[in-house]
Amino acid sequence: MSLAWLVILPFAGSLCAAFVPSHARNAAAWLAGTVAVACIALGIQFYPQIAEGEVVRATFQWAPAVGLDFKLRMDGFAWLFAMLVTVMGALVILYARYYMAAQDPVPRFFSFFLAFMGAMLGVVLSGNLIQLVVFWELTSLTSFMLIAYWYHRSDARRGARMALTVTATGGLCLLAGMLILGRIVGSYDLDVVLASGNLVRAHSWYLPALILIALGALTKSAQFPFHFWLPHAMAAPTPVSVYLHSATMVKAGVFLLVRLWPVLAGTEAWFWIIGSAGLFSLVLGAYAAIFQQDMKGVLAYSTISHLGLITLLLGLNSTLALIAAIFHIMNHATFKASLFMAAGMVDHETGTRDLSRLSGLYRAMPITATLAVVGAASMAGVPLFNGFLSKEMFFAETTFVSGNVITRIGLPTMAVIWGTFSVAYSLRFILQVFFGPAAKDLPKKPHEPPRWMLLPSGLLVTACLVVGMFPATIEPYLDIASRSVLGPGIPFHSLAVWHGLNLPLIMSLLAMAGGVALYRALGKYQQGTAVVPLINRFDGQSIFQFLLKKLESFAGTLTRCLSTERLQVQLLLLICAVFASALIPFSNGGLPAGNQPVAPVHPAFALMWLVGGACAIGAATQAKYHRLAALSLSGGAGLATCMTFAWFSSPDLALTQLIVEVVTLVLLLLGLRWLPPRYKSVDDKVVPLQTRLRARTRRLRDMALALVAGASLSALSYAVLTRQAGEGISNFFLENSLPLAGGSNVVNVILVDFRGFDTLGEITVLGIVALTVFALLRRFRPAPESMGLPVQQQVQDAQIPGWTPDPRALLPEGPMMLPGVLVQLLLPISGMVAVFFLLRGHNEPGGGFVGGLIVATAVILQYLVGGTAWAESRTRIFPQYWISAGLLCAAGAGLSAWLVSRPFLSAMAWHARLPVIGEVHLSTVLLFDLGVFLLVIGATVLILVALAHQSRRGHRKPATAHEEPEAAVPAATPRVAEITADLAQPHPISHAWAPAPAPKEG
Amino acid sequence: MEITYALAIGVLTGSGVWLLLRPRTFQVIMGLSLLSYAVNLFIFGMGRIMEGGAPIIDTLKQIDPSLYDDPVPQALVLTAIVIGFATTALFLVVLLASRGLTGTDHVDGDESEP
């Protein structure tokens, strides 16, 4: 169980740190430090078991259906890595506390930092391939956040994006590779996978799996040719570079290679893929490091080079090389982290990391200088430092490689060349920064950093020295780790400073002499230039940018080829697709013969549809130039539909259709006010002949399509109506409506009881639509042509000159006074009718939908008759409250079932005998229908009133005081104008139709 | 009766599809409205048409499903009518905003069609 804590603790800490106030630097640091120390303690507690060679496991059910468990697994190697992650984490947290400036939002940093630590521990302890990939991608995401921590800097954003693109793409490859690997083995369990190396290597899918997994590992470890993201990631705060880019994240790639070494290594393909990537990174990284001007740049390229060393060692297919690789993972983490810390301290105290500006710092910062010298000596592989030991092992391995002459001679030569380069850049790093004449024009006056900031670096440097001089101290840990990867029979190896005068030592001496010579020879050339000779043109970054640009333009082309932005084409395709799908059932055998008797045509029904059909066709022909006529005609068709519902025994539908018809008509009429008219004569003059011809052909095509669509849907309907209905679920509802739900109106019972969840969803959609309409209208800019008063209103105003109606009058003045009396009388009556329909809905036609629409109609009548100004001066309806009350009511009715441990939306009824009133039957279904009722009122009224209110905004000319600046804002920045207008209006939602800023002209 | 019903659906569909393919926003909103009548009638017709069989159970009699019209399409259409209203409202507002922003009532907000 406690193994899980090792992963849970950092994530929990991350969550806590996220809630620490952003200026509480110490609190966040204490929190993070405590978590890291607790993790270290947890890790140490496992040591006795691990030292015995045991594997600690913890398994939790994850997705048992597909055979996946969440499994944590700690063997010696995982333990060593987990200790590396936690100990380095603790040191870096201490360092970061002093590195980060007080004005930085430090808790955010620690929150991401701990999340990264958790993800890294997850990778290390994963006992399952899929789970490993999940944590792997988490490290990519958290490292993105950490690199972009100073997101106001464009280099940080760019570097973070590049790192994420490269490593996350690699992560996807890794996922594919792991899936193949899991498929080969037949299990994703790491224990099973590790035990089936021979099976995997012999499998025909071995190579694809190897390539994909290698892509994942090499991108993560910044190996050639994916190394270019690492130098750009140096835009991160230095503690991030210390932790991610020296000790942990970049090591995840080599960690994976070691982890899967028993499964994947030992083949030619492994040697060539992993070995060559390592060799290229080794030499090119060291070569490029010589010419960097940024201290962190030197270290970044050096990291690429050292990771290349580890990768190359792993690629050599030799068990001794594997031990050397594990050893170097540890050594590199210690000296590189201390060097990054030193670079950070120099940056922190002098304000620059530029090698050409820094000089002679040892006078001002003697302790920092000493620490850096030890780190750099270890990096260069000087004897008595830990870097020397693993370098010797590497040199020894290169001389043992069998194969043709090129590898036998070439590999040791390359190793010596690498050694030369690393000595050269380490020398330059130290001599340039800390020795020579004191630098003059530094941004800050240098002095020693705080003691606590020096401590982590000091501890690391001590470790370098102890391991370098007394290698026996590290021996048992290295032994445990190697044994857990290689099994019990690991080859003999000895860590010692002195192996006698052998070939590796001669190679070391050669490299050192060469490095000093190279440093002297380059001398002046390196000053003031960051150009890397020879390979400068092969810049990974520019290739990356080029590829990204190509990818973008390719995606754009593909989108243009595969889709269209033209709505007409889309709709045409949609209709054709519907046709095609309707034809599929006919393809096998067609319809059975009609078996239903056909009822004789009733003349009244035929006449009604003669009118209805004429109305529909009329609406189709008139919709372009005569919108009002089209609207009325479409209403005619709607009424015929409504009558049809009533005719064929569907009173509920008829009622609803009728009221919706009214409400839709009012809605569209309100909208027509803002749609400038089209004039046929103008159109004919403007449009050139050719376009008209094209339009004519298109009309013919659409006409044909419409005819075919109409005819086929007619035929289909007729075919269905003349055939027996299949056995459906309807009988269930008819039979059970009364006994189970206690309602005799089956349609209503289906809506509010049997299928109540659907209705809940539906009213939610309705509420959302209403709010969307309201939101869209708040920033509504009508067409300029429709800004003025409509002609009819102008005529009316001209008839009574100088008459302005008083919005506060008891009744609307002028010709609408009598209708005004009527609609005011109508309001309470309609309310009563609505409640009547609501209450009887369960047993008779009616229900919440109908009732709500009736109230909404009565409200909008007030607007129609009295005018918007008059209606708004006396109503305060707040439809948004009705919407929320309705939703709460309906959801509450559903939730109340939980009180008696029944499923959501189960109906419950109470029978009670009250004094005076007598027997009362109450049901949550009524509450639900009440919710529907309230919501329909709110949504409909909100939509209609928001639209009606526009007429008041339109008349206001933009002349009031606070709108002056808005008008002055140039047209190019409409966003700013909108935001300021938003700010100027304090309470947007509570006054649905309060005066909003007048629409802008143009 | 059935033939009239089917023809009515056909006429509504034809008019609706024709309008749906027109370039002016108001034509499209009218088209959607007509097409939704047609589709509602079509769905309603899937329960077969029947006179005098409103699905309101007579509490005094034994329940016999064959006496009543199919309630399921009715419930579906009732929902469709209300949602249809909501989408019409949303489309109308988008239409008006588009007319104000682009200066044209073309469905693509761009008069220069090919």
Side-chain angles (χ1 to χ4, degrees):
Chain A
M1 193 60 204
S2 51
L3 200 54
W5 286 112
L6 209 47
V7 180
I8 294 170
L9 264 183
F11 282 114
S14 161
L15 205 63
C16 294
F19 289 103
V20 171
S22 66
H23 50 81
R25 183 155 67 139
N26 285 329
W30 272 111
L31 174 71
T34 314
V35 169
V37 170
C39 286
I40 296 174
L42 272 173
I44 291 174
Q45 172 230 314
F46 286 113
Y47 180 69
Q49 276 171 280
I50 300 293
E52 294 288 312
E54 269 182 52
V55 177
V56 184
R57 292 187 182 84
T59 312
F60 308 90
Q61 282 216 332
W62 183 12
V66 288
L68 273 184
D69 281 331
F70 186 91
K71 188 173 171 193
L72 295 172
R73 173 186 183 282
M74 190 196 248
D75 58 5
F77 180 58
W79 178 83
L80 194 65
F81 229 95
M83 291 313 282
L84 178 77
V85 170
T86 47
V87 171
M88 287 308 261
L91 293 178
V92 174
I93 287 166
L94 179 60
Y95 177 78
R97 157 63 187 82
Y98 292 94
Y99 180 85
M100 304 304 280
Q103 59 267 27
D104 284 326
V106 179
R108 189 159 61 87
F109 173 82
F110 283 120
S111 176
F112 290 141
F113 190 90
L114 286 176
F116 172 80
M117 192 163 127
M120 197 64 212
L121 285 169
V123 169
V124 170
L125 298 178
S126 281
N128 173 311
L129 298 182
I130 305 291
Q131 179 195 339
L132 191 147
V133 178
V134 171
F135 281 115
W136 181 279
E137 291 290 47
L138 263 182
T139 61
S140 291
L141 285 177
T142 42
S143 90
F144 170 79
M145 296 297 196
L146 284 169
I147 298 171
Y149 174 69
W150 286 320
Y151 55 75
H152 53 273
R153 283 172 36 181
S154 68
D155 61 332
R157 293 196 301 269
R158 217 176 312 128
R161 202 166 54 223
M162 190 189 283
L164 181 69
T165 314
V166 176
T167 54
T169 313
L172 288 180
C173 295
L174 178 67
L175 176 62
M178 290 299 202
L179 289 176
I180 297 177
L181 186 60
R183 186 47 72 92
I184 295 174
V185 176
S187 166
Y188 293 107
D189 192 319
L190 192 59
D191 285 309
V192 183
V193 173
L194 287 180
S196 29
N198 290 331
L199 172 74
V200 173
R201 280 187 292 269
H203 201 275
S204 55
W205 279 83
Y206 165 72
L207 194 61
L210 172 64
I211 291 173
L212 287 167
I213 292 173
L215 277 174
L218 297 179
T219 48
K220 196 76 159 182
S221 281
Q223 291 299 286
F224 180 85
F226 312 108
H227 60 281
F228 54 88
W229 67 264
L230 187 62
H232 291 275
M234 290 298 126
T238 301
V240 174
S241 307
V242 176
Y243 195 48
L244 271 64
H245 305 139
S246 73
T248 54
M249 191 183 89
V250 290
K251 295 278 167 60
V254 287
F255 166 82
L256 185 73
L257 292 181
V258 175
R259 185 85 283 177
L260 296 179
W261 199 86
V263 188
L264 296 175
T267 62
E268 281 283 298
W270 170 273
F271 173 74
W272 287 110
I273 294 173
I274 304 297
S276 57
L279 182 65
F280 274 109
S281 316
L282 175 82
V283 179
L284 291 179
Y287 178 64
I290 303 177
F291 300 96
Q292 297 305 309
Q293 286 303 319
D294 180 4
M295 285 176 82
K296 278 173 82 177
V298 176
L299 296 176
Y301 277 103
S302 152
T303 301
I304 294 172
S305 166
H306 278 274
L307 288 166
L309 177 103
I310 299 167
T311 312
L312 176 57
L313 279 170
L314 293 173
L316 290 179
N317 283 337
S318 128
T319 46
L320 271 176
L322 178 84
I323 297 169
I326 297 175
F327 190 33
H328 198 66
I329 288 177
M330 299 298 140
N331 288 341
H332 176 251
T334 45
F335 68 70
K336 191 52 68 63
S338 78
L339 281 172
F340 265 117
M341 283 179 181
M345 287 187 275
V346 169
D347 187 18
H348 197 251
E349 303 306 327
T350 66
T352 179
R353 301 192 308 248
D354 192 339
L355 283 175
S356 57
R357 293 178 72 184
L358 292 165
S359 181
L361 280 182
Y362 82 96
R363 293 182 192 85
M365 311 170 72
I367 306 177
T368 313
T370 316
L371 296 176
V373 167
V374 176
S378 186
M379 176 160 78
V382 176
L384 298 183
F385 299 96
N386 61 353
F388 172 74
L389 297 172
S390 40
K391 188 188 69 171
E392 289 292 282
M393 287 166 89
F394 166 59
F395 281 176
E397 282 308 313
T398 56
T399 58
F400 294 151
V401 172
S402 56
N404 56 22
V405 185
I406 299 173
T407 44
R408 269 213 315 270
I409 307 288
L411 215 49
T413 319
M414 283 315 211
V416 174
I417 292 176
W418 163 76
T420 311
F421 289 159
S422 24
V423 171
Y425 69 69
S426 305
L427 266 180
R428 173 160 179 257
F429 184 84
I430 291 304
L431 294 179
Q432 189 73 53
V433 175
F434 295 103
F435 296 94
K440 290 187 187 69
D441 54 339
L442 291 176
K444 287 190 210 165
K445 191 174 155 36
H447 55 82
E448 206 65 77
R451 246 181 318 162
W452 291 107
M453 199 168 170
L454 285 166
L455 180 69
S457 182
L459 287 175
L460 288 169
V461 161
T462 315
C464 286
L465 282 169
V466 169
V467 173
M469 290 187 222
F470 312 103
T473 47
I474 195 80
E475 186 85 64
Y477 307 105
L478 185 60
D479 201 56
I480 296 169
S482 322
R483 212 179 287 279
S484 72
V485 178
L486 295 172
I490 62 165
F492 172 77
H493 62 100
S494 80
L495 299 178
V497 181
W498 178 251
H499 283 286
L501 187 68
N502 52 9
L503 191 57
L505 190 63
I506 295 170
M507 286 164 76
S508 281
L509 292 176
L510 263 179
M512 244 173 270
V516 176
L518 182 65
Y519 171 68
R520 307 224 73 158
L522 283 172
K524 285 276 176 298
Y525 176 81
Q526 289 168 316
Q527 292 297 338
T529 172
V531 176
V532 186
L534 298 178
I535 56 164
N536 195 48
R537 287 164 140 264
F538 304 98
D539 182 8
Q541 189 203 0
S542 54
I543 297 169
F544 175 75
Q545 307 283 23
F546 173 78
L547 285 178
L548 267 195
K549 204 180 268 177
K550 281 281 159 212
L551 192 69
E552 240 167 65
S553 66
F554 171 69
T557 317
L558 200 66
T559 315
R560 272 192 300 283
C561 290
L562 292 181
S563 74
T564 169
E565 287 182 350
R566 308 209 75 88
L567 183 74
Q568 286 169 280
V569 183
Q570 292 176 18
L571 285 176
L572 187 75
L573 291 174
L574 195 68
I575 290 167
C576 292
V578 170
F579 254 103
S581 58
L583 283 178
I584 293 171
F586 283 97
S587 59
N588 43 7
L591 287 174
N595 51 4
Q596 280 286 88
V598 176
V601 178
H602 196 290
F605 189 74
L607 188 66
M608 183 179 85
W609 269 110
L610 205 63
V611 176
C615 278
I617 295 170
T621 53
Q622 297 302 313
K624 189 169 187 184
Y625 296 111
H626 305 283
R627 295 182 187 129
L628 187 60
L631 193 53
S632 320
L633 288 169
S634 137
L639 280 182
T641 310
C642 169
M643 301 280 276
T644 309
F645 287 141
W647 195 295
F648 294 116
S649 36
S650 176
D652 276 292
L653 284 189
L655 258 178
T656 316
Q657 177 76 52
L658 183 68
I659 304 168
V660 164
E661 207 53 56
V662 172
V663 176
T664 311
L665 187 75
V666 173
L667 176 86
L668 290 175
L669 281 175
L670 287 170
L672 276 188
R673 159 74 179 83
W674 301 107
L675 207 57
R678 289 192 77 80
Y679 297 109
K680 196 177 167 106
S681 53
V682 178
D683 269 13
D684 282 348
K685 250 179 271 166
V686 172
V687 179
L689 181 71
Q690 205 189 350
T691 315
R692 259 185 292 162
L693 278 179
R694 239 201 328 256
R696 185 174 285 274
T697 19
R698 207 165 44 225
R699 268 205 284 273
L700 279 175
R701 180 197 68 193
D702 293 349
M703 177 73 81
L705 191 67
L707 285 176
V708 173
S712 37
L713 205 61
S714 268
L716 184 63
S717 314
Y718 186 73
V720 170
L721 291 174
T722 50
R723 277 153 184 85
Q724 188 94 47
E727 195 56 32
I729 51 172
S730 310
N731 287 352
F732 168 82
F733 291 120
L734 285 168
E735 280 158 8
N736 291 306
S737 170
L738 203 53
L740 284 186
S744 45
N745 182 358
V746 186
V747 176
N748 184 274
V749 168
I750 292 177
L751 284 178
V752 298
D753 197 334
F754 286 128
R755 306 293 306 161
F757 201 58
D758 296 355
T759 311
L760 186 64
E762 188 207 350
I763 59 172
T764 313
V765 169
L766 197 62
I768 292 171
V769 168
L771 291 176
T772 314
V773 165
F774 174 66
L776 280 172
L777 284 173
R778 264 182 52 70
R779 295 277 141 246
F780 177 52
R781 304 261 186 278
E785 301 95 306
S786 62
M787 290 280 279
L789 282 177
V791 182
Q792 293 83 348
Q793 214 166 339
Q794 284 174 12
V795 170
Q796 182 192 322
D797 286 359
Q799 281 169 350
I800 322 166
W803 176 67
T804 42
D806 174 18
R808 273 169 234 291
L810 189 60
L811 284 171
E813 290 169 23
M816 296 309 270
M817 189 184 278
L818 269 183
V821 174
L822 288 177
V823 294
Q824 271 190 302
L825 284 177
L826 203 61
L827 192 59
I829 296 172
S830 66
M832 194 183 68
V833 172
V835 172
F836 168 69
F837 271 119
L838 167 71
L839 290 179
R840 74 172 208 159
H842 216 44
N843 296 316
E844 296 288 328
F849 281 116
V850 175
L853 286 166
I854 291 173
V855 175
T857 319
V859 171
I860 202 62
L861 263 181
Q862 312 295 317
Y863 276 77
L864 286 180
V865 171
T868 314
W870 180 80
E872 283 181 4
S873 73
R874 62 202 56 241
T875 48
R876 272 274 170 262
I877 313 179
F878 302 112
Q880 62 276 22
Y881 292 154
W882 291 74
I883 293 179
S884 38
L887 269 184
L888 285 176
C889 240
L895 290 176
S896 65
W898 285 352
L899 293 177
V900 290
S901 311
R902 303 257 313 270
F904 184 63
L905 273 172
S906 305
M908 285 173 306
W910 291 278
H911 285 279
R913 187 177 286 280
L914 291 181
V916 186
I917 299 172
E919 189 136 333
V920 172
H921 175 84
L922 280 177
S923 159
T924 54
V925 167
L926 183 65
L927 188 64
F928 185 82
D929 216 10
L930 182 69
V932 175
F933 174 72
L934 295 176
L935 187 129
V936 170
I937 295 177
T940 318
V941 169
L942 182 61
I943 292 172
L944 290 175
V945 162
L947 202 52
H949 176 71
Q950 300 306 317
S951 65
R952 287 191 75 190
R953 291 175 53 180
H955 293 294
R956 283 162 46 113
K957 291 297 163 211
T960 49
H962 80 277
E963 281 156 14
E964 287 293 326
E966 191 196 349
V969 173
T973 57
R975 273 302 297 157
V976 179
E978 278 179 27
I979 292 163
T980 43
D982 258 330
L983 291 174
Q985 201 169 16
H987 218 309
I989 191 96
S990 68
H991 300 93
W993 45 96
K1000 253 198 317 191
E1001 308 253 12
Chain B
M1 262 343 217
E2 279 80 359
I3 186 80
T4 324
Y5 190 89
L7 282 176
I9 292 177
V11 171
L12 288 172
T13 310
S15 317
V17 167
W18 159 258
L19 280 176
L20 211 57
L21 297 171
R22 297 298 87 220
R24 303 294 151 198
T25 45
F26 192 75
Q27 292 177 304
V28 177
I29 205 172
M30 285 284 96
L32 276 179
S33 168
L34 291 178
L35 199 59
S36 64
Y37 294 145
V39 171
N40 285 347
L41 281 175
F42 182 74
I43 296 175
F44 179 61
M46 289 303 104
R48 309 301 183 267
I49 52 178
M50 176 185 199
E51 286 174 53
I56 290 165
I57 310 291
D58 192 339
T59 43
L60 303 176
K61 287 190 202 152
Q62 190 73 26
I63 300 169
D64 175 12
S66 66
L67 288 180
Y68 303 104
D69 195 27
D70 191 343
V72 175
Q74 293 195 17
L76 290 175
V77 171
L78 194 111
T79 315
I81 292 173
V82 179
I83 286 289
F85 164 71
T87 46
T88 308
L90 189 60
F91 184 31
L92 178 76
V93 173
V94 172
L95 174 168
L96 295 177
S98 154
R99 178 66 179 87
L101 279 175
T102 62
T104 165
D105 63 348
H106 194 281
V107 282
D108 295 327
D110 177 11
E111 206 63 55
S112 61
E113 41 156 358

